[in-house]
C-alpha cells in the first residue's frame, strides 16, 4: 500500500510504497499518459511521476527497511515530491479517468494516492488543510495553460522559507486558475493576504528551481 512521510519545511512528502503498489502506480501513470486526451505533452511533468516511482523501485531514491520486530512489513521504497508538483500530477491523473475506460486497478491506485495526499496535507497544514484541499480539487489541469504554470509556481515555492510556505501555499494553489491574472488587482483591493503578483510569476517562468531544503 501507499503511505507517506512529511518532508521538512512544508516542502512536500516522501511518497512510500511496497514493490507491488509502486509497480501499479508506475503502470497506471504510463497507461494514462499514453491514452488520456487531456495530456497534450506526453513527455511532460505528469510522466515525471512514473520516472520518480521507477527510480524508487530501482533503489535509487529512499529504501526503507521494515521496522524492528515487524519484518513482515517488508522493504518499502520512497521518493521525495514537492507539493505543487504532486498535487498537479494527481489532479491530471484523476481528471483523465473521466475520459478513459479503466480497470479497478487504475481506480484503486488513483484513489490511494489521493487519500495519501489528503492525509498528508491535513498533517502538514493543520487548520488550513481543508481550504488547501478544496483549492487543490478545483485545479483543472486539463486546460493546457494550467500545467504550463508549474515552472513558475514550483520555482517560487522552492525559494520560499518554511513560514512562507505555510502562509502562502493556499494562494499559490489559487493562482492555477487561468483567470488569476485578470482578477489579481480586484482581489488585492479586497484585502486578500499572501497574493503573488503575476509579474513575480513571470519572472520565474524560465528560472531554475532553487534547493527546496527538504
Amino acid at each position: 500500500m501507499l503511505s507517506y512521510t512529511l518532508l521538512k519545511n512544508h516542502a512536500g512528502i516522501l511518497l512510500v510504497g511496497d514493490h507491488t503498489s509502486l509497480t501499479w502506480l508506475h503502470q497506471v501513470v504510463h497507461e494514462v499518459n499514453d491514452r488520456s486526451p487531456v495530456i497534450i505533452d506526453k513527455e511532460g511533468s505528469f510522466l515525471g511521476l512514473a520516472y520518480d516511482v521507477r527510480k524508487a523501485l530501482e533503489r535509487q531514491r529512499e529504501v526503507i527497511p521494515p521496522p524492528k520486530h515487524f519484518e513482515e512489513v517488508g522493504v518499502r521504497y520512497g521518493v521525495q515530491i514537492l507539493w505543487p508538483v504532486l498535487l498537479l500530477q494527481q489532479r491530471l491523473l484523476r481528471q483523465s479517468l473521466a475520459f478513459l475506460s479503466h480497470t479497478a486497478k487504475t481506480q484503486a491506485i488513483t484513489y490511494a494516492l489521493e487519500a495519501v495526499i489528503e492525509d498528508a496535507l491535513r498533517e502538514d497544514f493543520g487548520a488550513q488543510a481543508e481550504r488547501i484541499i478544496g483549492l487543490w480539487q478545483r485545479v483543472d489541469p486539463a486546460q493546457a495553460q494550467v500545467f504550463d504554470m508549474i515552472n513558475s509556481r514550483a520555482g517560487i515555492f522552492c525559494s520560499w522559507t518554511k513560514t512562507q510556505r505555510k502562509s502562502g501555499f493556499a494562494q499559490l494553489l489559487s493562482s492555477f486558475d487561468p483567470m488569476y491574472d485578470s482578477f489579481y488587482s480586484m482581489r488585492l483591493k479586497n484585502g486578500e493576504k499572501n497574493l503573488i503578483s503575476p509579474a513575480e510569476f513571470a519572472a520565474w517562468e524560465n528560472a531554475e528551481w532553487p534547493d527546496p531544503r527538504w
Side-chain angles (χ1 to χ4, degrees), residues 46-136:
F46 176 70
L47 192 60
L49 180 57
Y51 172 84
D52 283 338
V53 169
R54 178 172 62 82
K55 288 297 183 182
L57 287 168
E58 292 173 349
R59 295 174 174 258
Q60 296 184 39
R61 296 295 185 263
E62 300 287 334
V63 178
I64 303 152
K68 288 183 179 179
H69 312 300
F70 290 97
E71 284 76 14
E72 63 272 18
V73 171
V75 176
R76 292 165 296 153
Y77 311 91
V79 60
Q80 297 175 323
I81 311 180
L82 291 168
W83 272 132
V85 174
L86 179 60
L87 296 193
L88 249 66
Q89 289 169 332
Q90 190 282 333
R91 285 297 296 150
L92 196 49
L93 174 58
R94 182 79 144 80
Q95 280 206 327
S96 293
L97 298 195
F99 299 90
L100 301 172
S101 59
H102 53 273
T103 64
K105 180 174 80 173
T106 299
Q107 193 170 54
I109 203 69
T110 299
Y111 281 98
L113 179 60
E114 185 170 334
V116 163
I117 291 172
E118 284 188 2
D119 284 351
L121 285 172
R122 289 190 176 98
E123 182 180 349
D124 208 11
F125 291 96
Q128 297 186 66
E130 294 309 315
R131 182 181 178 219
I132 288 171
I133 290 170
L135 288 165
W136 158 49

Side-chain angles (χ1 to χ4, degrees), residues 109-181:
I109 203 69
T110 299
Y111 281 98
L113 179 60
E114 185 170 334
V116 163
I117 291 172
E118 284 188 2
D119 284 351
L121 285 172
R122 289 190 176 98
E123 182 180 349
D124 208 11
F125 291 96
Q128 297 186 66
E130 294 309 315
R131 182 181 178 219
I132 288 171
I133 290 170
L135 288 165
W136 158 49
Q137 293 180 344
R138 287 198 294 273
V139 172
D140 182 9
Q143 302 181 68
Q145 67 268 39
V146 172
F147 222 86
D148 290 341
M149 295 175 183
I150 191 61
N151 285 334
S152 60
R153 274 60 177 174
I156 286 175
F157 183 81
C158 288
S159 76
W160 280 351
T161 64
K162 178 179 181 178
T163 300
Q164 286 174 314
R165 289 173 186 165
K166 184 71 178 280
S167 62
F169 188 48
Q171 292 292 21
L172 185 78
L173 285 177
S174 78
S175 76
F176 283 105
D177 185 335
M179 299 300 293
Y180 180 82
D181 289 8

Side-chain angles (χ1 to χ4, degrees), residues 22-39:
L22 290 182
T23 298
W24 279 23
L25 180 57
H26 181 265
Q27 292 171 346
V28 164
V29 171
H30 267 287
E31 180 184 354
V32 170
N33 187 71
D34 290 342
R35 297 175 56 220
S36 174
V38 301
I39 300 175

